[in-house]
Amino acid sequence: MARDYSRTSRIADQLQRELAQLIQFEVKDPRLGMVTVSHVKVSKDLGFADVYITVLPLNGKDEAEAIIDSLKVLNNAAGFLRGELCRNVQLRAMPQLRFHFDETIERGRHLHHLIEAAIRQENQSASKDADEE
C-alpha cells in the first residue's frame, strides 16, 4: 500500500500547484493566453518535468496561434520558472521544465462529437424503419 502514491507523483502534484500560481501571477507576457496546467509528469531520476498545458485564446487570436505563442513564452520562461520553483519547493535537484500542449481535451471533444453523430444516425435509421412498417 505504501507504493500507491510514489515520490515522483507527489513531486509532480506539488510542481503543478506551484507552476499554476507562478504562471498566473509572475509571467507578464502579453502573448500568453489563459493557461491551465493540466498535468505534470516527472521522470524517475527527477531530471525532467513534462508540463502539459491547455490554452484559452485571448484578444481574438486563433486557437492554434495562441497555443504556439503560449508554448514559446513558457519555454522561454522555463529558466525563470525553474528558479522560482527552487525557492518555493525544497528539492535537492529541480527538474528541467518542458512544456507541451495537452491534446486530451481536444481528443475527448472529437470523440464526443463522433458518438453523438452515431447516436443521431442510429435514431434516424430507427425512425425510418418504424415509418416503413
Side-chain angles (χ1 to χ4, degrees):
M1 283 293 181
R3 292 281 181 189
D4 288 344
Y5 197 57
S6 68
R7 181 171 187 253
T8 56
S9 297
R10 291 191 308 268
I11 291 171
D13 288 344
Q14 180 68 26
L15 291 179
Q16 180 178 354
R17 285 191 298 273
E18 294 291 332
L19 278 170
Q21 293 289 322
L22 287 171
I23 290 170
Q24 182 178 4
F25 296 116
E26 299 295 328
V27 179
K28 304 288 186 198
D29 195 312
R31 297 174 293 165
L32 190 65
M34 287 192 58
V35 174
T36 303
V37 179
S38 59
H39 182 69
V40 176
K41 185 177 177 183
V42 178
S43 64
K44 297 240 186 247
D45 64 351
L46 302 179
F48 293 97
D50 291 314
V51 182
Y52 294 91
I53 62 165
T54 57
V55 178
L56 181 65
L58 295 176
N59 303 328
K61 280 186 180 178
D62 181 35
E63 187 174 356
E65 181 184 346
I67 291 167
I68 291 169
D69 286 346
S70 295
L71 285 174
K72 280 182 187 176
V73 168
L74 290 173
N75 281 316
N76 287 337
F80 166 75
L81 292 170
R82 185 177 181 211
E84 291 295 315
L85 284 173
C86 286
R87 290 191 196 119
N88 298 336
V89 180
Q90 297 296 319
L91 282 177
R92 184 172 295 181
M94 184 60 63
Q96 290 182 9
L97 302 175
R98 298 185 292 197
F99 290 92
H100 308 282
F101 178 67
D102 189 5
E103 297 176 354
T104 56
I105 293 173
E106 184 61 36
R107 208 173 304 137
R109 189 179 306 146
H110 176 69
L111 289 174
H112 179 72
H113 287 301
L114 289 175
I115 291 169
E116 283 186 346
I119 291 172
R120 268 193 307 259
Q121 186 178 15
E122 180 75 22
N123 289 340
Q124 288 174 354
S125 66
S127 66
K128 284 181 183 178
D129 291 342
D131 290 342
E132 290 176 0
E133 292 178 358

Short mmCIF file of all heavy atoms in Angstrom, two decimals, residues 57-123:
data_model
loop_
_atom_site.label_atom_id
_atom_site.label_comp_id
_atom_site.label_asym_id
_atom_site.label_seq_id
_atom_site.Cartn_x
_atom_site.Cartn_y
_atom_site.Cartn_z
N PRO A 57 -7.58 31.01 -25.85
CA PRO A 57 -7.07 32.17 -26.59
C PRO A 57 -7.71 33.48 -26.11
O PRO A 57 -8.90 33.52 -25.78
CB PRO A 57 -7.45 31.89 -28.04
CG PRO A 57 -8.15 30.60 -28.07
CD PRO A 57 -8.31 30.10 -26.69
N LEU A 58 -6.90 34.53 -26.08
CA LEU A 58 -7.37 35.86 -25.71
C LEU A 58 -7.18 36.82 -26.87
O LEU A 58 -6.44 36.54 -27.82
CB LEU A 58 -6.59 36.38 -24.50
CG LEU A 58 -6.77 35.63 -23.19
CD1 LEU A 58 -5.86 36.22 -22.12
CD2 LEU A 58 -8.20 35.69 -22.71
N ASN A 59 -7.82 37.95 -26.82
CA ASN A 59 -7.67 39.04 -27.79
C ASN A 59 -8.01 38.62 -29.21
O ASN A 59 -7.38 39.07 -30.17
CB ASN A 59 -6.25 39.63 -27.75
CG ASN A 59 -5.90 40.14 -26.36
OD1 ASN A 59 -6.76 40.60 -25.63
ND2 ASN A 59 -4.63 40.04 -26.01
N GLY A 60 -8.98 37.74 -29.37
CA GLY A 60 -9.42 37.35 -30.70
C GLY A 60 -8.43 36.52 -31.49
O GLY A 60 -8.52 36.44 -32.72
N LYS A 61 -7.47 35.90 -30.84
CA LYS A 61 -6.48 35.07 -31.53
C LYS A 61 -7.10 33.74 -31.95
O LYS A 61 -8.05 33.25 -31.34
CB LYS A 61 -5.30 34.75 -30.61
CG LYS A 61 -4.28 35.82 -30.49
CD LYS A 61 -3.11 35.28 -29.68
CE LYS A 61 -2.03 36.31 -29.52
NZ LYS A 61 -0.93 35.80 -28.71
N ASP A 62 -6.52 33.18 -32.98
CA ASP A 62 -6.86 31.83 -33.39
C ASP A 62 -6.32 30.86 -32.33
O ASP A 62 -5.28 31.12 -31.72
CB ASP A 62 -6.24 31.54 -34.77
CG ASP A 62 -6.58 30.17 -35.28
OD1 ASP A 62 -7.70 29.69 -35.01
OD2 ASP A 62 -5.71 29.57 -35.95
N GLU A 63 -7.00 29.74 -32.13
CA GLU A 63 -6.59 28.80 -31.08
C GLU A 63 -5.19 28.23 -31.36
O GLU A 63 -4.37 28.14 -30.44
CB GLU A 63 -7.60 27.68 -30.95
CG GLU A 63 -7.33 26.77 -29.78
CD GLU A 63 -8.42 25.74 -29.56
OE1 GLU A 63 -9.43 25.77 -30.27
OE2 GLU A 63 -8.24 24.89 -28.67
N ALA A 64 -4.91 27.86 -32.60
CA ALA A 64 -3.60 27.29 -32.93
C ALA A 64 -2.50 28.31 -32.71
O ALA A 64 -1.42 27.98 -32.19
CB ALA A 64 -3.59 26.79 -34.36
N GLU A 65 -2.76 29.55 -33.07
CA GLU A 65 -1.78 30.61 -32.89
C GLU A 65 -1.54 30.87 -31.40
O GLU A 65 -0.40 31.07 -30.97
CB GLU A 65 -2.28 31.89 -33.57
CG GLU A 65 -1.34 33.06 -33.47
CD GLU A 65 -1.93 34.31 -34.09
OE1 GLU A 65 -2.93 34.22 -34.82
OE2 GLU A 65 -1.37 35.39 -33.83
N ALA A 66 -2.60 30.86 -30.61
CA ALA A 66 -2.47 31.07 -29.17
C ALA A 66 -1.67 29.96 -28.51
O ALA A 66 -0.87 30.21 -27.60
CB ALA A 66 -3.85 31.17 -28.53
N ILE A 67 -1.86 28.74 -28.98
CA ILE A 67 -1.11 27.60 -28.42
C ILE A 67 0.37 27.75 -28.72
O ILE A 67 1.21 27.60 -27.83
CB ILE A 67 -1.67 26.28 -28.98
CG1 ILE A 67 -3.07 26.02 -28.44
CG2 ILE A 67 -0.74 25.11 -28.66
CD1 ILE A 67 -3.81 24.92 -29.17
N ILE A 68 0.69 28.07 -29.97
CA ILE A 68 2.10 28.23 -30.36
C ILE A 68 2.75 29.35 -29.58
O ILE A 68 3.86 29.20 -29.05
CB ILE A 68 2.20 28.44 -31.89
CG1 ILE A 68 1.81 27.16 -32.62
CG2 ILE A 68 3.60 28.88 -32.28
CD1 ILE A 68 1.64 27.34 -34.11
N ASP A 69 2.07 30.51 -29.50
CA ASP A 69 2.63 31.65 -28.77
C ASP A 69 2.82 31.33 -27.29
O ASP A 69 3.85 31.66 -26.70
CB ASP A 69 1.72 32.87 -28.91
CG ASP A 69 1.80 33.50 -30.29
OD1 ASP A 69 2.74 33.17 -31.05
OD2 ASP A 69 0.92 34.33 -30.61
N SER A 70 1.84 30.69 -26.68
CA SER A 70 1.93 30.38 -25.25
C SER A 70 3.06 29.39 -24.97
O SER A 70 3.79 29.53 -23.99
CB SER A 70 0.61 29.82 -24.75
OG SER A 70 -0.40 30.79 -24.83
N LEU A 71 3.23 28.39 -25.85
CA LEU A 71 4.32 27.43 -25.66
C LEU A 71 5.68 28.10 -25.81
O LEU A 71 6.62 27.80 -25.07
CB LEU A 71 4.18 26.26 -26.63
CG LEU A 71 3.10 25.25 -26.28
CD1 LEU A 71 2.96 24.21 -27.38
CD2 LEU A 71 3.39 24.57 -24.95
N LYS A 72 5.80 29.04 -26.78
CA LYS A 72 7.06 29.78 -26.94
C LYS A 72 7.37 30.59 -25.68
O LYS A 72 8.50 30.58 -25.19
CB LYS A 72 6.97 30.72 -28.14
CG LYS A 72 7.19 30.07 -29.46
CD LYS A 72 7.14 31.12 -30.56
CE LYS A 72 7.18 30.48 -31.93
NZ LYS A 72 7.05 31.47 -33.00
N VAL A 73 6.37 31.30 -25.18
CA VAL A 73 6.57 32.13 -23.99
C VAL A 73 6.98 31.27 -22.81
O VAL A 73 7.94 31.58 -22.08
CB VAL A 73 5.28 32.93 -23.67
CG1 VAL A 73 5.37 33.56 -22.29
CG2 VAL A 73 5.03 33.98 -24.72
N LEU A 74 6.29 30.15 -22.59
CA LEU A 74 6.58 29.31 -21.44
C LEU A 74 7.93 28.61 -21.56
O LEU A 74 8.65 28.48 -20.57
CB LEU A 74 5.45 28.31 -21.23
CG LEU A 74 4.14 28.91 -20.75
CD1 LEU A 74 3.05 27.86 -20.73
CD2 LEU A 74 4.30 29.55 -19.38
N ASN A 75 8.28 28.16 -22.76
CA ASN A 75 9.59 27.53 -22.93
C ASN A 75 10.71 28.55 -22.76
O ASN A 75 11.79 28.21 -22.25
CB ASN A 75 9.68 26.82 -24.28
CG ASN A 75 8.98 25.48 -24.26
OD1 ASN A 75 9.13 24.71 -23.31
ND2 ASN A 75 8.20 25.20 -25.28
N ASN A 76 10.48 29.81 -23.16
CA ASN A 76 11.48 30.85 -22.92
C ASN A 76 11.57 31.22 -21.45
O ASN A 76 12.64 31.60 -20.97
CB ASN A 76 11.18 32.09 -23.76
CG ASN A 76 11.46 31.89 -25.22
OD1 ASN A 76 12.25 31.03 -25.60
ND2 ASN A 76 10.81 32.67 -26.06
N ALA A 77 10.47 31.13 -20.73
CA ALA A 77 10.44 31.46 -19.31
C ALA A 77 10.75 30.26 -18.42
O ALA A 77 10.68 30.37 -17.20
CB ALA A 77 9.08 32.04 -18.94
N ALA A 78 11.10 29.13 -19.01
CA ALA A 78 11.34 27.91 -18.22
C ALA A 78 12.46 28.09 -17.20
O ALA A 78 12.36 27.60 -16.07
CB ALA A 78 11.65 26.73 -19.14
N GLY A 79 13.51 28.81 -17.55
CA GLY A 79 14.61 29.05 -16.61
C GLY A 79 14.15 29.89 -15.43
O GLY A 79 14.48 29.60 -14.27
N PHE A 80 13.40 30.94 -15.71
CA PHE A 80 12.86 31.78 -14.64
C PHE A 80 11.93 30.98 -13.74
O PHE A 80 12.02 31.05 -12.51
CB PHE A 80 12.10 32.97 -15.26
CG PHE A 80 11.24 33.71 -14.28
CD1 PHE A 80 11.80 34.54 -13.33
CD2 PHE A 80 9.86 33.55 -14.31
CE1 PHE A 80 11.00 35.21 -12.42
CE2 PHE A 80 9.06 34.21 -13.40
CZ PHE A 80 9.63 35.05 -12.46
N LEU A 81 11.03 30.20 -14.35
CA LEU A 81 10.09 29.40 -13.57
C LEU A 81 10.80 28.36 -12.72
O LEU A 81 10.43 28.11 -11.57
CB LEU A 81 9.06 28.75 -14.49
CG LEU A 81 8.09 29.70 -15.18
CD1 LEU A 81 7.28 28.96 -16.24
CD2 LEU A 81 7.18 30.36 -14.18
N ARG A 82 11.84 27.78 -13.29
CA ARG A 82 12.62 26.78 -12.54
C ARG A 82 13.30 27.41 -11.34
O ARG A 82 13.34 26.85 -10.25
CB ARG A 82 13.63 26.13 -13.47
CG ARG A 82 14.40 25.00 -12.84
CD ARG A 82 15.32 24.36 -13.85
NE ARG A 82 16.03 23.25 -13.26
CZ ARG A 82 17.25 22.89 -13.61
NH1 ARG A 82 17.87 23.51 -14.59
NH2 ARG A 82 17.83 21.89 -13.01
N GLY A 83 13.83 28.62 -11.53
CA GLY A 83 14.46 29.33 -10.42
C GLY A 83 13.47 29.67 -9.32
O GLY A 83 13.77 29.55 -8.13
N GLU A 84 12.28 30.09 -9.71
CA GLU A 84 11.24 30.39 -8.71
C GLU A 84 10.80 29.12 -7.99
O GLU A 84 10.52 29.15 -6.79
CB GLU A 84 10.05 31.07 -9.38
CG GLU A 84 10.33 32.47 -9.87
CD GLU A 84 10.66 33.42 -8.74
OE1 GLU A 84 9.95 33.41 -7.72
OE2 GLU A 84 11.64 34.18 -8.88
N LEU A 85 10.72 28.02 -8.73
CA LEU A 85 10.36 26.74 -8.09
C LEU A 85 11.42 26.33 -7.07
O LEU A 85 11.08 25.77 -6.02
CB LEU A 85 10.19 25.65 -9.15
CG LEU A 85 8.92 25.69 -9.97
CD1 LEU A 85 8.98 24.66 -11.09
CD2 LEU A 85 7.70 25.45 -9.10
N CYS A 86 12.68 26.60 -7.38
CA CYS A 86 13.76 26.26 -6.44
C CYS A 86 13.57 26.98 -5.11
O CYS A 86 13.90 26.44 -4.05
CB CYS A 86 15.12 26.61 -7.03
SG CYS A 86 15.67 25.48 -8.31
N ARG A 87 13.06 28.21 -5.17
CA ARG A 87 12.85 28.97 -3.94
C ARG A 87 11.64 28.45 -3.16
O ARG A 87 11.62 28.53 -1.93
CB ARG A 87 12.62 30.44 -4.28
CG ARG A 87 13.85 31.12 -4.76
CD ARG A 87 13.66 32.62 -4.84
NE ARG A 87 14.73 33.15 -5.67
CZ ARG A 87 14.54 33.79 -6.79
NH1 ARG A 87 13.33 34.04 -7.22
NH2 ARG A 87 15.57 34.22 -7.50
N ASN A 88 10.63 27.95 -3.87
CA ASN A 88 9.38 27.57 -3.22
C ASN A 88 9.29 26.09 -2.84
O ASN A 88 8.56 25.74 -1.92
CB ASN A 88 8.20 27.91 -4.12
CG ASN A 88 8.09 29.39 -4.38
OD1 ASN A 88 8.58 30.20 -3.61
ND2 ASN A 88 7.47 29.75 -5.48
N VAL A 89 9.99 25.22 -3.56
CA VAL A 89 9.90 23.78 -3.34
C VAL A 89 11.27 23.28 -2.88
O VAL A 89 12.28 23.57 -3.50
CB VAL A 89 9.48 23.05 -4.64
CG1 VAL A 89 9.39 21.55 -4.40
CG2 VAL A 89 8.16 23.58 -5.15
N GLN A 90 11.27 22.54 -1.79
CA GLN A 90 12.52 22.03 -1.24
C GLN A 90 12.89 20.70 -1.88
O GLN A 90 12.42 19.65 -1.49
CB GLN A 90 12.39 21.85 0.28
CG GLN A 90 12.14 23.12 1.03
CD GLN A 90 13.30 24.09 0.91
OE1 GLN A 90 14.46 23.69 0.97
NE2 GLN A 90 12.99 25.36 0.72
N LEU A 91 13.70 20.78 -2.95
CA LEU A 91 14.24 19.59 -3.62
C LEU A 91 15.74 19.75 -3.77
O LEU A 91 16.24 20.86 -3.93
CB LEU A 91 13.63 19.43 -5.01
CG LEU A 91 12.23 18.86 -5.13
CD1 LEU A 91 11.79 18.85 -6.58
CD2 LEU A 91 12.16 17.46 -4.58
N ARG A 92 16.44 18.65 -3.74
CA ARG A 92 17.88 18.70 -3.92
C ARG A 92 18.23 19.15 -5.34
O ARG A 92 19.12 19.95 -5.55
CB ARG A 92 18.49 17.33 -3.64
CG ARG A 92 20.00 17.33 -3.72
CD ARG A 92 20.55 16.04 -3.25
NE ARG A 92 20.23 15.90 -1.82
CZ ARG A 92 20.59 14.88 -1.10
NH1 ARG A 92 21.25 13.89 -1.64
NH2 ARG A 92 20.27 14.82 0.16
N ALA A 93 17.52 18.61 -6.31
CA ALA A 93 17.75 18.99 -7.72
C ALA A 93 16.38 19.25 -8.35
O ALA A 93 15.51 18.39 -8.33
CB ALA A 93 18.47 17.88 -8.46
N MET A 94 16.21 20.44 -8.90
CA MET A 94 14.94 20.80 -9.54
C MET A 94 14.97 20.30 -10.98
O MET A 94 15.94 20.53 -11.71
CB MET A 94 14.76 22.32 -9.52
CG MET A 94 13.43 22.78 -10.06
SD MET A 94 11.99 22.13 -9.20
CE MET A 94 12.20 22.81 -7.57
N PRO A 95 13.93 19.61 -11.43
CA PRO A 95 13.90 19.11 -12.81
C PRO A 95 13.82 20.25 -13.83
O PRO A 95 13.30 21.32 -13.54
CB PRO A 95 12.63 18.27 -12.86
CG PRO A 95 12.00 18.33 -11.54
CD PRO A 95 12.77 19.21 -10.67
N GLN A 96 14.35 19.99 -15.02
CA GLN A 96 14.21 20.94 -16.12
C GLN A 96 12.78 20.87 -16.63
O GLN A 96 12.20 19.79 -16.73
CB GLN A 96 15.17 20.60 -17.25
CG GLN A 96 16.62 20.85 -16.91
CD GLN A 96 17.52 20.54 -18.09
OE1 GLN A 96 17.06 20.30 -19.20
NE2 GLN A 96 18.81 20.55 -17.85
N LEU A 97 12.22 22.02 -16.95
CA LEU A 97 10.82 22.09 -17.36
C LEU A 97 10.71 22.03 -18.88
O LEU A 97 11.42 22.75 -19.59
CB LEU A 97 10.18 23.38 -16.85
CG LEU A 97 10.23 23.59 -15.34
CD1 LEU A 97 9.68 24.96 -14.99
CD2 LEU A 97 9.47 22.51 -14.62
N ARG A 98 9.80 21.19 -19.35
CA ARG A 98 9.48 21.11 -20.78
C ARG A 98 7.97 21.24 -20.91
O ARG A 98 7.24 20.47 -20.30
CB ARG A 98 9.94 19.78 -21.38
CG ARG A 98 11.45 19.58 -21.29
CD ARG A 98 11.88 18.32 -21.99
NE ARG A 98 11.39 17.14 -21.28
CZ ARG A 98 11.87 15.92 -21.46
NH1 ARG A 98 12.84 15.71 -22.33
NH2 ARG A 98 11.38 14.89 -20.79
N PHE A 99 7.53 22.22 -21.69
CA PHE A 99 6.10 22.49 -21.81
C PHE A 99 5.55 21.87 -23.08
O PHE A 99 6.17 21.93 -24.14
CB PHE A 99 5.85 24.00 -21.81
CG PHE A 99 6.11 24.63 -20.48
CD1 PHE A 99 7.35 25.16 -20.18
CD2 PHE A 99 5.12 24.67 -19.52
CE1 PHE A 99 7.60 25.72 -18.95
CE2 PHE A 99 5.36 25.24 -18.28
CZ PHE A 99 6.61 25.78 -18.00
N HIS A 100 4.36 21.26 -22.96
CA HIS A 100 3.68 20.60 -24.08
C HIS A 100 2.21 20.98 -24.03
O HIS A 100 1.65 21.22 -22.95
CB HIS A 100 3.79 19.08 -23.99
CG HIS A 100 5.18 18.58 -23.81
ND1 HIS A 100 6.08 18.49 -24.83
CD2 HIS A 100 5.83 18.14 -22.69
CE1 HIS A 100 7.22 18.00 -24.36
NE2 HIS A 100 7.09 17.79 -23.07
N PHE A 101 1.57 20.98 -25.20
CA PHE A 101 0.12 21.21 -25.25
C PHE A 101 -0.59 19.90 -24.95
O PHE A 101 -0.26 18.85 -25.51
CB PHE A 101 -0.30 21.74 -26.62
CG PHE A 101 -1.77 21.96 -26.75
CD1 PHE A 101 -2.40 22.93 -26.00
CD2 PHE A 101 -2.53 21.18 -27.59
CE1 PHE A 101 -3.76 23.13 -26.09
CE2 PHE A 101 -3.88 21.38 -27.70
CZ PHE A 101 -4.50 22.35 -26.94
N ASP A 102 -1.57 19.95 -24.07
CA ASP A 102 -2.34 18.77 -23.68
C ASP A 102 -3.48 18.58 -24.68
O ASP A 102 -4.42 19.36 -24.71
CB ASP A 102 -2.89 18.94 -22.28
CG ASP A 102 -3.51 17.68 -21.72
OD1 ASP A 102 -3.44 16.64 -22.41
OD2 ASP A 102 -4.06 17.74 -20.62
N GLU A 103 -3.39 17.54 -25.49
CA GLU A 103 -4.37 17.30 -26.54
C GLU A 103 -5.52 16.41 -26.09
O GLU A 103 -6.41 16.13 -26.89
CB GLU A 103 -3.68 16.66 -27.75
CG GLU A 103 -2.65 17.57 -28.38
CD GLU A 103 -1.89 16.92 -29.51
OE1 GLU A 103 -2.08 15.70 -29.73
OE2 GLU A 103 -1.11 17.61 -30.16
N THR A 104 -5.55 16.00 -24.85
CA THR A 104 -6.59 15.08 -24.41
C THR A 104 -7.98 15.72 -24.43
O THR A 104 -8.96 15.05 -24.72
CB THR A 104 -6.31 14.54 -23.00
OG1 THR A 104 -6.16 15.65 -22.09
CG2 THR A 104 -5.06 13.69 -22.97
N ILE A 105 -8.06 17.00 -24.14
CA ILE A 105 -9.36 17.67 -24.16
C ILE A 105 -9.91 17.74 -25.57
O ILE A 105 -11.08 17.45 -25.82
CB ILE A 105 -9.25 19.07 -23.53
CG1 ILE A 105 -8.94 18.93 -22.04
CG2 ILE A 105 -10.53 19.88 -23.74
CD1 ILE A 105 -8.65 20.22 -21.35
N GLU A 106 -9.06 18.10 -26.52
CA GLU A 106 -9.49 18.15 -27.92
C GLU A 106 -9.85 16.76 -28.42
O GLU A 106 -10.84 16.60 -29.15
CB GLU A 106 -8.39 18.76 -28.79
CG GLU A 106 -8.78 18.95 -30.23
CD GLU A 106 -9.97 19.89 -30.40
OE1 GLU A 106 -10.08 20.86 -29.65
OE2 GLU A 106 -10.80 19.61 -31.29
N ARG A 107 -9.09 15.76 -28.04
CA ARG A 107 -9.40 14.38 -28.43
C ARG A 107 -10.74 13.93 -27.84
O ARG A 107 -11.55 13.29 -28.52
CB ARG A 107 -8.28 13.45 -27.96
CG ARG A 107 -8.13 12.22 -28.82
CD ARG A 107 -6.91 11.39 -28.46
NE ARG A 107 -5.69 12.17 -28.50
CZ ARG A 107 -4.73 12.11 -27.58
NH1 ARG A 107 -4.84 11.31 -26.55
NH2 ARG A 107 -3.64 12.83 -27.69
N GLY A 108 -11.00 14.29 -26.59
CA GLY A 108 -12.27 13.96 -25.96
C GLY A 108 -13.44 14.65 -26.63
O GLY A 108 -14.51 14.07 -26.82
N ARG A 109 -13.24 15.92 -27.01
CA ARG A 109 -14.29 16.65 -27.72
C ARG A 109 -14.60 16.00 -29.06
O ARG A 109 -15.76 15.85 -29.44
CB ARG A 109 -13.84 18.10 -27.92
CG ARG A 109 -14.92 19.01 -28.43
CD ARG A 109 -14.43 20.43 -28.58
NE ARG A 109 -13.86 20.93 -27.34
CZ ARG A 109 -12.84 21.78 -27.29
NH1 ARG A 109 -12.29 22.23 -28.38
NH2 ARG A 109 -12.38 22.21 -26.13
N HIS A 110 -13.55 15.57 -29.77
CA HIS A 110 -13.73 14.90 -31.06
C HIS A 110 -14.50 13.58 -30.90
O HIS A 110 -15.43 13.29 -31.65
CB HIS A 110 -12.37 14.67 -31.72
CG HIS A 110 -12.44 13.91 -33.00
ND1 HIS A 110 -12.98 14.45 -34.15
CD2 HIS A 110 -12.04 12.65 -33.32
CE1 HIS A 110 -12.91 13.55 -35.12
NE2 HIS A 110 -12.34 12.45 -34.64
N LEU A 111 -14.11 12.79 -29.90
CA LEU A 111 -14.80 11.52 -29.66
C LEU A 111 -16.26 11.75 -29.26
O LEU A 111 -17.15 11.00 -29.67
CB LEU A 111 -14.08 10.73 -28.57
CG LEU A 111 -12.74 10.12 -28.97
CD1 LEU A 111 -12.06 9.50 -27.77
CD2 LEU A 111 -12.91 9.11 -30.08
N HIS A 112 -16.52 12.80 -28.48
CA HIS A 112 -17.88 13.13 -28.09
C HIS A 112 -18.74 13.44 -29.32
O HIS A 112 -19.88 12.97 -29.43
CB HIS A 112 -17.87 14.30 -27.12
CG HIS A 112 -19.23 14.73 -26.67
ND1 HIS A 112 -19.98 13.98 -25.80
CD2 HIS A 112 -19.97 15.81 -26.98
CE1 HIS A 112 -21.13 14.58 -25.60
NE2 HIS A 112 -21.15 15.71 -26.30
N HIS A 113 -18.18 14.21 -30.26
CA HIS A 113 -18.93 14.53 -31.49
C HIS A 113 -19.18 13.27 -32.32
O HIS A 113 -20.26 13.12 -32.90
CB HIS A 113 -18.18 15.57 -32.33
CG HIS A 113 -18.23 16.94 -31.74
ND1 HIS A 113 -19.40 17.61 -31.50
CD2 HIS A 113 -17.24 17.77 -31.33
CE1 HIS A 113 -19.14 18.80 -30.99
NE2 HIS A 113 -17.83 18.91 -30.86
N LEU A 114 -18.20 12.36 -32.38
CA LEU A 114 -18.40 11.12 -33.12
C LEU A 114 -19.50 10.26 -32.51
O LEU A 114 -20.33 9.69 -33.23
CB LEU A 114 -17.09 10.33 -33.18
CG LEU A 114 -15.97 10.89 -34.05
CD1 LEU A 114 -14.72 10.05 -33.90
CD2 LEU A 114 -16.41 10.95 -35.51
N ILE A 115 -19.52 10.20 -31.19
CA ILE A 115 -20.55 9.41 -30.51
C ILE A 115 -21.93 10.02 -30.74
O ILE A 115 -22.90 9.30 -31.02
CB ILE A 115 -20.24 9.28 -29.00
CG1 ILE A 115 -19.00 8.40 -28.81
CG2 ILE A 115 -21.42 8.73 -28.22
CD1 ILE A 115 -18.43 8.42 -27.41
N GLU A 116 -22.03 11.34 -30.63
CA GLU A 116 -23.32 11.99 -30.87
C GLU A 116 -23.79 11.78 -32.30
O GLU A 116 -24.98 11.56 -32.54
CB GLU A 116 -23.21 13.48 -30.57
CG GLU A 116 -23.24 13.80 -29.10
CD GLU A 116 -23.28 15.28 -28.84
OE1 GLU A 116 -23.02 16.09 -29.76
OE2 GLU A 116 -23.57 15.65 -27.69
N ALA A 117 -22.87 11.84 -33.27
CA ALA A 117 -23.25 11.62 -34.67
C ALA A 117 -23.74 10.19 -34.87
O ALA A 117 -24.72 9.95 -35.60
CB ALA A 117 -22.06 11.91 -35.58
N ALA A 118 -23.08 9.22 -34.23
CA ALA A 118 -23.51 7.82 -34.35
C ALA A 118 -24.89 7.62 -33.73
O ALA A 118 -25.73 6.90 -34.28
CB ALA A 118 -22.49 6.91 -33.68
N ILE A 119 -25.15 8.26 -32.61
CA ILE A 119 -26.47 8.15 -31.96
C ILE A 119 -27.55 8.78 -32.84
O ILE A 119 -28.64 8.20 -33.01
CB ILE A 119 -26.44 8.78 -30.55
CG1 ILE A 119 -25.59 7.94 -29.62
CG2 ILE A 119 -27.85 8.96 -29.99
CD1 ILE A 119 -25.33 8.57 -28.27
N ARG A 120 -27.27 9.94 -33.41
CA ARG A 120 -28.24 10.59 -34.31
C ARG A 120 -28.53 9.70 -35.51
O ARG A 120 -29.68 9.54 -35.91
CB ARG A 120 -27.70 11.94 -34.79
CG ARG A 120 -28.10 13.10 -33.93
CD ARG A 120 -27.79 14.40 -34.63
NE ARG A 120 -26.40 14.44 -35.07
CZ ARG A 120 -25.42 15.08 -34.47
NH1 ARG A 120 -25.66 15.78 -33.40
NH2 ARG A 120 -24.19 15.04 -34.93
N GLN A 121 -27.48 9.12 -36.08
CA GLN A 121 -27.66 8.25 -37.25
C GLN A 121 -28.48 7.01 -36.86
O GLN A 121 -29.36 6.58 -37.61
CB GLN A 121 -26.30 7.84 -37.80
CG GLN A 121 -26.37 7.06 -39.08
CD GLN A 121 -24.98 6.73 -39.60
OE1 GLN A 121 -23.99 6.83 -38.89
NE2 GLN A 121 -24.92 6.33 -40.86
N GLU A 122 -28.22 6.46 -35.70
CA GLU A 122 -28.96 5.31 -35.21
C GLU A 122 -30.44 5.65 -35.01
O GLU A 122 -31.31 4.89 -35.40
CB GLU A 122 -28.36 4.80 -33.90
CG GLU A 122 -29.04 3.61 -33.29
CD GLU A 122 -28.73 2.32 -34.02
OE1 GLU A 122 -27.70 2.26 -34.69
OE2 GLU A 122 -29.54 1.38 -33.90
N ASN A 123 -30.70 6.82 -34.43
CA ASN A 123 -32.08 7.24 -34.20
C ASN A 123 -32.81 7.50 -35.53
O ASN A 123 -33.99 7.16 -35.66
CB ASN A 123 -32.14 8.49 -33.33
CG ASN A 123 -31.75 8.20 -31.90
OD1 ASN A 123 -31.80 7.06 -31.45
ND2 ASN A 123 -31.36 9.24 -31.17
#
